[in-house]
Amino acid sequence: MRQRRTFPRLLGSLLLVAAAGISCVGAAPAPAQATAARPLGEIVPAPASVRPAGAPYTLTAATRIRVDDDSRDARRIGSYLAAVLRPSTGYALPVTDDHGRGGIRLALGSRDRSLGEEGYRLESGRGGVTITARKPAGLFHGVQTLRQLLPAAVEKDTRQAGPWQISGGTITDSPRFGHRGAMLDVSRHFFTVDQVKLYIDQLALYKINKLHLHLSDDQGWRIAIDSWPRLTTHGGSTQVGGGPGGYYTKAQYKEILAHAASRYLEVIPEIDMPGHTNAALSSYAELNCDGVAPPLYTGTAVGFSSLCVPKAVTYDFVDDVVRELAALTPGKYLHIGGDEAHSTSHEDYVAFMDKAQAVVAKYGKTVVGWHQLTGAEPVEGAVAQYWGLDGTSAAEKAQVAKAAQNGTKLILSPADRIYLDMKYDKDTPLGLAWAGYVEVQRSYDWDPGAYLPGAPASSIAGVEAPLWSETISTSDHIEFMAFPRLPGVAELGWSPASTHDWDAYKVRLAAQGPRMAALGIDYYRSPQVPWPAG
């Protein structure tokens, strides 16, 4: 069985914990690695600025992780870093607030405004490594860079041979876009809390900062709503293919939120409406216009279901669901879906989205919807998530661009570029191909800032890679379809446009292969990438 690494929450123990259902087996120390340190810029996403200089720093048994004595955030991030490094190095790596020299120093409170909310500066030399940031998220992202500068074997959960060197020089880094997301569909197939937490840990390595959870669809309702309990007990009782399904209690949802927050990811929950609602319609007959509940659905067709727009009870339902979900979710956003509402007339769709958006605002959240929302009237501050194709009609693209010109922010998720459930090629055993085949180069080789004609660059909030789960039912499946495409999406969201070059990127991506393997990530060995032998 493959080994996996998952790290404890920052608020908890420093001990390494294994993801549920995964065993960890002991191994003898690996042979000594090459002594040359990894080049300073050989990471993903590419940093904004890299200035190699001087001798590398070498971790030893004497290395300490030094934090400011008045910073709980820096101490928590230092404890996270120690938990990453201890198993493979075998070093104690105490986290201390003493003011000695050397070691790894994590410092918050930089006055460099150019670093923003998520930027950092990493300075490395023979005497030690210092990471500084204005905000905790930036310090955490700097720690991910530090991880990648160490040999890949540092990710293993058994003692490995060093040396553990970090190249000398300075990295100054901050993201291009504020939204760098991944969506996980837990409705078509249900994924446990531990499976979601494992994915969060993997996303964090590449500086992803949003986790969009698709919590409801025709095949399953996955979040407990106290005022409508049959949504989960009935609507969550199955999944694609007729499996047992499942759902998150409110406590379990909070556990996911806390783990995401410890990795500086914001969770964006989605309740898809007015279509993609068969699980809800089956749970409560009164949500149907004819008052008859349809059977549960375990297939993969889309566009056949709709809430009954004229009924008052529909908006009691929407209000209760949004109220309870908003109260649970500390993040800014709540996603109301709005795609593929083929069974809802245009007039009804507009009327429903007007009311649903108002409910989201009532409970203090910013509304997000799939880009079909722009066919209604997006409220001020709304965010539309574009999932069209290169070949989507000019009229549909113009509709989205017009909304962007009028102030609607856009998240770009073009299906034929970064839908992670699309097959790589005709032989891919998982996934779908309705948007075409999406190999690694295609998923990387486009510019979000110039992708949608007529949409101002200032309207682009960022990028997000959805993973729909019609054919995805295990963590191995998630990993095979997400990696190695997801690191490229992360780079599109983080790195300056000037760094964007497939020929250079594929070399840096290839160097991630041993790291992903050390983490137990079952990634696709794309023939487009020059992976290291063995």
Side-chain angles (χ1 to χ4, degrees), residues 77 110 122 144 187 209 218 242 286 371 414 452 472 484 502 526:
I77 294 167
S110 169
L122 183 149
Q144 305 314 311
S187 296
N209 69 345
D218 292 314
E286 60 265 40
H371 74 261
L452 197 63
I472 311 300
W502 165 252
S526 169

Side-chain angles (χ1 to χ4, degrees), residues 185-189 191 240 421 467-473:
D185 172 14
V186 298
S187 296
R188 269 45 175 265
H189 281 98
F191 294 94
V240 166
D421 55 302
L467 180 53
W468 301 98
S469 64
E470 286 93 336
T471 69
I472 311 300
S473 60

Side-chain angles (χ1 to χ4, degrees), residues 101-250:
R101 295 185 177 182
I104 299 170
R105 177 169 293 281
L106 305 179
L108 275 173
S110 169
R111 295 182 181 180
D112 183 353
R113 292 189 174 276
S114 69
L115 297 179
E117 297 289 311
E118 295 187 278
Y120 65 92
R121 180 172 290 106
L122 183 149
E123 299 168 284
S124 175
R126 188 184 302 277
V129 176
T130 298
I131 303 174
T132 56
R134 295 183 70 231
K135 300 291 184 179
L139 199 61
F140 184 79
H141 295 322
V143 162
Q144 305 314 311
T145 291
L146 177 67
R147 282 175 71 180
Q148 289 196 33
L149 291 174
L150 287 162
V154 82
E155 307 292 352
K156 295 190 176 182
D157 55 10
T158 56
R159 178 79 175 268
Q160 305 293 310
W164 306 107
Q165 292 190 325
I166 300 162
S167 287
T170 301
I171 291 175
T172 304
D173 204 8
S174 58
R176 180 183 183 188
F177 296 110
H179 187 112
R180 305 175 308 282
M183 190 219 78
L184 183 62
D185 172 14
V186 298
S187 296
R188 269 45 175 265
H189 281 98
F190 179 68
F191 294 94
T192 67
V193 170
D194 285 325
Q195 287 175 310
V196 176
K197 288 165 70 174
L198 176 63
Y199 196 41
I200 289 168
D201 284 342
Q202 294 164 347
L203 299 175
L205 177 60
Y206 297 103
K207 304 183 177 72
I208 294 292
N209 69 345
K210 310 290 182 190
L211 175 65
H212 169 180
L213 285 178
H214 185 78
L215 291 168
S216 70
D217 214 297
D218 292 314
Q219 298 85 352
W221 186 285
R222 307 303 182 198
I223 181 66
I225 302 296
D226 295 339
S227 51
W228 298 75
R230 274 179 57 82
L231 289 172
T232 49
T233 58
H234 177 73
S237 64
T238 191
Q239 59 187 7
V240 166
Y247 65 92
Y248 307 119
T249 66
K250 289 188 172 181

Side-chain angles (χ1 to χ4, degrees), residues 454-503:
S458 60
S459 71
I460 308 302
V463 294
E464 185 174 291
L467 180 53
W468 301 98
S469 64
E470 286 93 336
T471 69
I472 311 300
S473 60
T474 69
S475 287
D476 280 353
H477 292 168
I478 291 173
E479 291 167 6
F480 185 78
M481 299 304 283
F483 296 94
R485 289 182 289 198
L486 186 69
V489 177
E491 178 150 313
L492 289 173
W494 180 279
S495 303
S498 60
T499 68
H500 191 82
D501 177 77
W502 165 252
D503 288 332

Side-chain angles (χ1 to χ4, degrees), residues 5 63 123 190 269 281 388 411 422 486 532:
R5 290 285 299 279
T63 295
E123 299 168 284
F190 179 68
L281 299 172
I411 299 166
M422 290 299 107
L486 186 69

